[in-house]
Amino acid sequence: MYKITLIPGDGIGPEISEAMKKVVEATGVPVEWEIENAGEEVYLKEGTPLPTRVTDSIKKNKIAIKGPITTPVGTGFRSVNVTLRQTLDLYACVRPCKSFKGARTKYENIDLVIVRENTEDLYAGIEFKKGESETIDLINFIEKKSGRKIREDSGISIKPISVFGTERIVRFAFEFARKNSRKKVTAVHKANIMKYTDGLFLEVARQVAQKYPDIEFEDRIVDNMCMQLVQKPELYDVLVLPNLYGDIISDLAAGLIGGLGLAPGANIGDEYAVFEPTHGSAPKYKGLNKVNPFAMILSAVMMLRHIGEFEAANKIERAVAEIIEEGKVLTYDMKSSDDSTLPVGTQEVALALVEKIKKF
Ligand code: NAD
């Protein structure tokens, strides 16, 4: 029996978690879900959106799967997702974007893996609020040390990128490439402008690449990367990126395969792994049984492979592929305007998958 922490999340999280649970259970893999809530409702009740019982559960079970969690914009608590990744040192975010036959997209045969650094960069959440005394101190300090003036009414976010953090994420990307018979790793950066952060990322990536002569290595500047991915995505294989570019490019790559509803993800560290879809909590669809559960279910596929349950993972993936190719039991986001069949709800997709899996 596997004990797995399940964080349903908020917004559409609980619905897609329910769908995912049904599908995993249909494979017969014995799982005991340890359900732990986090997010806004927990914040209102317990004064923190991420109580230690949640991280304790993950530390105990080593494996977790989570639905998305809303992050209030501008004010309120810090992102639970970012805190979780930092607390558990889940330094690698892996997001495969692979085409499914029949999915509604302009592109065919996309097969990319985005490896995003998860703990550093502008995303680390080291921020100084406009007008606060620490911020003014920092502005004065920077002016004294660099001779550069920052306007007094500025807010400041810090972008740390270290040799340690870069080395381990680039190594992770190459090891991933090797294990999964991938041919090439592309490092993405803006080293021409941010010489001491992105420049460091590129320099360290080049050094690490030398240890993997069997895998091709190249680099791209992030703006060019965006254009290249839109024009010729077939040229790329594994991409490794600092946190913020990784966040943005992940959504771009999800768009290439037919949208966020199809893009799974994993946050992996040396000790723990937390699986979650790329998409957010889509609050406007909360409780409507409307959204696509595939990204959450495909995150469970990644989780099953991680724990060595390959047969169950393959069965779910095959069922998802068949449902997409058949084109009938699909949620609104996967339907084209000229489709004669109506979209179905989240739980109907789950039931169709369960029926297929039971027949395999
Ligand atoms: P979002 O991913 O929630 O939504 C973007 C668009 O995609 C919306 O149009 C939405 O309706 C659609 N969409 C998302 N998931 C879908 C699904 N499964 N099926 C069909 N359509 C889907 O992004 P957002 O609106 O920028 O963010 C909403 C909230 O989610 C924010 O508070 C954000 O911070 C949070 N968020 C959380 C995570 C996470 O928990 N890891 C990730 C991203 C965003």
Side-chain angles (χ1 to χ4, degrees):
M1 176 74 79
Y2 297 100
K3 244 187 161 182
I4 294 174
T5 304
L6 169 60
I7 306 169
D10 50 33
I12 57 170
E15 300 160 55
I16 57 173
S17 297
E18 193 49 44
M20 179 279 298
K21 251 171 67 186
K22 282 184 195 140
V23 171
V24 170
E25 282 163 10
T27 65
V29 170
V31 178
E32 186 187 329
W33 305 102
E34 201 165 285
I35 297 180
E36 291 291 349
N37 291 308
E40 194 155 27
E41 276 180 31
V42 173
Y43 174 68
L44 294 175
K45 272 193 232 143
E46 301 183 39
T48 165
L50 184 64
T52 46
R53 60 176 166 75
V54 182
T55 39
D56 285 349
S57 166
I58 303 174
K59 283 181 182 164
K60 180 167 56 82
N61 297 328
K62 312 272 188 228
I63 305 283
I65 184 159
K66 71 175 274 292
I69 294 178
T70 309
T71 307
V73 177
T75 55
F77 55 82
R78 268 193 67 205
S79 164
V80 171
N81 309 304
V82 174
T83 312
L84 205 53
R85 290 166 199 162
Q86 286 173 354
T87 313
L88 300 172
D89 203 18
L90 306 170
Y91 61 85
C93 178
V94 184
R95 288 172 168 170
C97 287
K98 196 169 186 304
S99 299
F100 280 98
K101 211 168 163 198
R104 196 160 57 96
T105 162
K106 295 188 173 65
Y107 298 86
E108 276 171 27
N109 301 323
I110 303 286
D111 189 4
L112 293 164
V113 179
I114 315 292
V115 176
R116 162 188 173 190
E117 203 289 326
N118 240 350
T119 63
E120 303 196 316
D121 195 2
L122 275 172
Y123 228 95
I126 308 169
E127 299 206 288
F128 293 85
K129 195 173 173 187
K130 173 192 71 110
E132 291 199 339
S133 69
E134 291 83 0
T135 315
I136 307 292
D137 285 353
L138 183 62
I139 288 173
N140 291 337
F141 175 82
I142 290 171
E143 189 175 348
K144 205 162 115 203
K145 295 288 174 189
S146 72
R148 303 287 295 271
K149 195 152 178 56
I150 296 176
R151 290 187 188 97
E152 279 231 330
D153 58 352
S154 301
I156 297 181
S157 300
I158 302 287
K159 172 172 167 134
I161 292 196
S162 69
V163 172
F164 174 86
T166 306
E167 237 170 41
R168 68 177 179 175
I169 194 65
V170 178
R171 215 182 312 118
F172 184 99
F174 275 100
E175 290 293 333
F176 179 94
R178 239 183 212 168
K179 263 190 232 131
N180 293 279
S181 311
R182 297 266 171 174
K183 306 266 177 301
K184 183 165 78 172
V185 171
T186 306
V188 185
H189 58 86
K190 189 87 187 173
N192 50 333
I193 303 297
M194 280 162 279
K195 296 188 195 305
Y196 301 141
T197 48
D198 287 26
L200 179 150
F201 185 87
L202 176 58
E203 192 190 318
V204 173
R206 283 184 174 143
Q207 285 162 8
V208 174
Q210 284 176 7
K211 299 195 187 99
Y212 296 86
D214 49 319
I215 293 161
E216 198 188 328
F217 174 74
E218 64 181 8
D219 71 277
R220 290 281 178 278
I221 293 178
V222 64
D223 37 358
N224 180 28
M225 187 78 249
C226 291
M227 189 191 69
Q228 298 264 324
L229 283 176
V230 171
Q231 285 198 319
K232 29 193 169 176
E234 68 282 358
L235 295 186
Y236 298 93
D237 190 346
V238 176
L239 309 184
V240 62
L241 312 91
N243 209 338
L244 182 62
Y245 308 144
D247 183 39
I248 297 165
I249 297 270
S250 295
D251 273 30
L252 192 159
L256 298 176
I257 57 160
L260 284 170
L262 278 172
N267 299 292
I268 300 177
D270 292 332
E271 286 186 80
Y272 317 111
V274 178
F275 298 82
E276 64 174 343
T278 296
H279 64 71
S281 58
K284 67 180 173 192
Y285 292 137
K286 178 183 173 174
L288 300 181
N289 187 36
K290 186 174 165 84
V291 296
N292 191 346
F294 284 151
M296 183 74 177
I297 289 166
L298 292 168
S299 301
V301 167
M302 292 178 79
M303 179 184 78
L304 289 168
R305 292 206 170 110
H306 187 85
I307 60 175
E309 291 289 345
F310 295 100
E311 204 186 317
N314 293 345
K315 275 186 189 169
I316 299 177
E317 200 170 51
R318 186 175 145 205
V320 171
E322 285 186 12
I323 295 264
I324 295 174
E325 196 168 357
E326 288 160 13
K328 286 185 226 129
V329 190
L330 294 173
T331 46
Y332 78 97
D333 55 306
M334 298 202 62
K335 289 276 178 188
S336 59
S337 48
D338 56 358
D339 198 328
S340 58
T341 57
L342 288 172
V344 302
T346 314
Q347 302 314 322
E348 285 66 41
V349 173
L351 290 178
L353 289 169
V354 167
E355 266 175 38
K356 273 198 185 287
I357 290 164
K358 288 203 164 147
K359 281 191 213 137
F360 289 157

